[in-house]
Amino acid sequence: MQITHEEAQALPPLQWLKKPAVDGPPAQRDPKVVERVSEMLREIERKGLDAVRAYARELDGWSGDLEIGEAELKKSGDALPPDVRTALEMGCERTRRFAAAQREHLADFEIELAPGVTCGQRYVPVSRVGAYLPAGRFPLLASAFMTVNVAKTAGVPTVVACTPPSGEHGAHPAVLYGAHLSQADRVFAVGGVQALGAMAFGLLGEAPVDMLVGAGNAFVTEAKRQLFGRVGIDLLAGPSEVAVIADDSADPAWVAADLLGQAEHGPNSPAALITTSEALGRAVVAEVETQLEKLATRDIAGPAWRDFGSVIVVRDRDDAVAVADVLGPSTWRSTPRTTTSTCAASPATVRCSSARGPPWRTPTRASPARTTCCRRARPPATTPACRSPGSSSRSPTSGRPGRARPRWHPPSSASPPSRAWPRTGRRPRCASTGSAVPRPRSTRSPHRCASSSDPSVPGRAPAARVTRAARAARRGGGRPRHVTRAPRHPS
């Protein structure tokens, strides 16, 4: 997540309050990483489980049993504080519910394109999945929810999980409890490249997995890249990274916490702030240093912020989006100033937080039990006159006889707009005159307001109806007594 010299030339003018101290290729594209991973995978494929145990002793400092028994998994939650255990259980349940909803919306179907030619698609879960649960320098407690839990909810019969041990203490209890809640079939205390190679080559008492999922460091990412083709993968995530877009309304403490929350994932995790306020940028830099002094993971987050952290000041929001697009972070957050407008709703007032765009983009009526959406409305009329769209007239756009195309008037507290005539309740009234709107001929067409005198108001002036005498005059039948008759006001 860096901006090269060529990319910087194409971007708007930037002001760097902090630049990354390390200027080089990302770790996952480091030739040394690629060479080391290739060597390890060849050794594991050739020597099998013996090579896996050797790398576990060398890299993880673990010489115990690789597989974690079912009894130890069940007891792993006893070593956790009650609030952590409750949070893990809640996160697992929510992830399972969302995954189930995703699966329900993946619909199988068949279609006959021609007589005797039927095509379709079916969603069939794979047989075996290998999930990597990172817990090297800093354990990611929810990683099992996004991998094991989702796979089991999708219907995968066998899910094998691997997590790196922490020296002589073994695997982290919170990670094990997350795997237990996610219903992993087998869990192993193996980390890094040796874990992915063991699952892909079928060295852990199971057949080779069909797919490898889960995040990890640069070595794990490179191992997934090299194993892709032999097995399927989810994606090449690489080190955790974040970019925050903020303006002067943001809280420096919150922005600093967002940056450090990703930087603590690894010493090579980039964290960038893109802001339109130089004052906010300098305040965030100072706040990061303050929070690092008290942060338990400062030995990890500190080097990440020092070597890969950046603060960029831009002119406006458009420039901020352009910079974020070049950075391409895996995680991004936006904390701009938001405005809240009041929607006209009955009986209670509904707040709409999406009042953006032109001034006439106003919120529409919404039920108090539903979230409010916004539709485009026209600028307010000054001297409206209500009429039914069922009246005989000419189309304001095509000029053809028929019903006029409905014109919307902006919502107000006196008369909220409606897309259809209410079947029950009081008849709607014009927002400006207060007069009742006559019932249209079609119950599917809403009433409209049109200007009767002001030509600058969007809409159409009331169309004058041509009488029989006027038509006779046009045909040369003499001077009519009455040429036009204006439509009567509904009130």
Side-chain angles (χ1 to χ4, degrees):
M1 196 178 72
Q2 294 178 338
I3 299 178
T4 64
H5 178 72
E6 293 76 12
E7 292 171 338
Q9 295 297 324
L11 288 173
L14 308 177
Q15 179 184 358
W16 292 84
L17 298 183
K18 183 187 182 305
K19 278 190 173 183
V22 176
D23 187 12
Q28 61 266 32
R29 294 203 301 265
D30 191 340
K32 296 180 180 180
V33 174
V34 176
E35 182 181 357
R36 174 62 170 164
V37 171
S38 300
E39 176 187 348
M40 293 179 64
L41 290 178
R42 286 195 301 267
E43 189 78 5
I44 293 171
E45 187 176 17
R46 185 172 63 252
K47 296 183 179 180
L49 196 58
D50 293 337
V52 174
R53 294 184 182 277
Y55 283 125
R57 289 191 298 267
E58 175 187 351
L59 303 176
D60 297 329
W62 179 251
S63 57
D65 294 336
L66 297 183
E67 185 170 5
I68 300 173
E70 182 66 23
E72 185 176 353
L73 286 176
K74 292 181 179 179
K75 294 189 300 181
S76 59
D78 300 338
L80 302 176
D83 55 342
V84 175
R85 181 168 179 166
T86 302
L88 289 174
E89 294 171 352
M90 180 182 63
C92 181
E93 177 60 26
R94 289 182 176 179
T95 307
R96 181 179 292 112
R97 288 170 53 192
F98 186 79
Q102 283 183 306
R103 182 61 186 90
E104 291 175 0
H105 286 78
L106 298 176
D108 302 342
F109 72 90
E110 289 185 357
I111 180 173
E112 188 175 7
L113 300 179
V117 180
T118 302
C119 300
Q121 71 177 19
R122 292 179 59 194
Y123 291 91
V124 181
V126 297
S127 299
R128 287 172 295 276
V129 166
Y132 185 75
L133 313 180
R137 294 184 178 90
F138 193 73
L140 302 182
L141 306 186
S143 57
F145 305 157
M146 311 302 177
T147 55
V148 179
N149 197 13
V150 172
K152 297 301 290 186
T153 305
V156 177
T158 303
V159 179
V160 179
C162 288
T163 183
S166 302
E168 298 178 356
H169 303 287
H172 196 282
V175 177
L176 295 181
Y177 190 60
H180 170 67
L181 293 174
S182 302
Q183 301 177 0
D185 295 286
R186 302 180 70 178
V187 181
F188 296 85
V190 185
V193 178
Q194 60 271 25
L196 274 68
M199 290 187 289
F201 301 145
L203 304 177
L204 299 178
E206 295 284 344
V209 297
D210 301 309
M211 188 174 186
L212 290 172
V213 297
N217 57 18
F219 292 91
V220 171
T221 302
E222 178 60 24
K224 290 173 64 177
R225 188 188 69 81
Q226 296 190 20
L227 290 170
F228 177 61
R230 178 186 287 261
V231 297
I233 63 172
D234 49 356
L235 77 165
L236 299 175
S240 180
E241 54 193 19
V242 66
V244 178
I245 300 178
D247 56 17
D248 56 355
S249 65
D251 187 347
W254 282 96
V255 176
D258 277 340
L259 296 173
L260 293 177
Q262 292 291 327
E264 67 182 5
H265 286 184
N268 60 346
S269 295
L273 168 63
I274 310 168
T275 179
T276 56
S277 171
E278 181 179 353
L280 174 71
R282 298 189 182 278
V284 169
V285 171
E287 183 64 28
V288 167
E289 299 299 331
T290 301
Q291 294 188 18
L292 276 175
E293 297 177 358
K294 304 177 182 179
L295 196 63
T297 58
R298 58 182 174 270
D299 294 338
I300 303 174
W305 174 252
R306 179 194 63 218
D307 297 337
F308 300 95
S310 58
V311 177
I312 307 172
V313 180
V314 295
R315 293 176 302 184
D316 51 32
R317 288 187 176 185
D318 293 336
D319 292 354
V321 173
V323 173
D325 189 44
V326 172
L327 290 177
S330 61
T331 306
W332 74 276
R333 295 180 177 87
S334 177
T335 58
R337 179 185 291 106
T338 57
T339 57
T340 302
S341 60
T342 304
C343 298
S346 177
T349 300
V350 178
R351 294 287 180 180
C352 178
S353 60
S354 57
R356 301 173 182 171
W360 58 86
R361 186 175 176 83
T362 52
T364 59
R365 181 181 183 180
S367 169
R370 299 176 59 187
T371 56
T372 303
C373 62
C374 293
R375 301 189 183 97
R376 186 174 298 278
R378 295 186 176 274
T382 54
T383 56
C386 293
R387 62 173 295 163
S388 169
S391 304
S392 176
S393 60
R394 291 182 180 271
S395 170
T397 55
S398 64
R400 296 190 299 269
R403 293 175 180 168
R405 182 173 296 178
R407 296 282 186 177
W408 296 100
H409 65 74
S412 67
S413 58
S415 175
S418 175
R419 280 196 176 272
W421 189 277
R423 296 186 179 182
T424 59
R426 295 180 300 178
R427 295 164 62 183
R429 295 181 175 274
C430 177
S432 301
T433 64
S435 59
V437 178
R439 184 179 296 274
R441 295 178 181 177
S442 173
T443 59
R444 297 183 178 273
S445 300
H447 69 280
R448 69 181 182 91
C449 283
S451 172
S452 58
S453 60
D454 189 356
S456 64
V457 177
R460 189 172 67 88
R465 293 185 293 177
V466 182
T467 62
R468 185 178 304 173
R471 288 193 293 269
R474 293 176 181 176
R475 295 193 298 266
R479 182 179 180 180
R481 292 178 299 172
H482 182 69
V483 177
T484 60
R485 182 173 72 249
R488 294 181 297 173
H489 197 277
S491 60

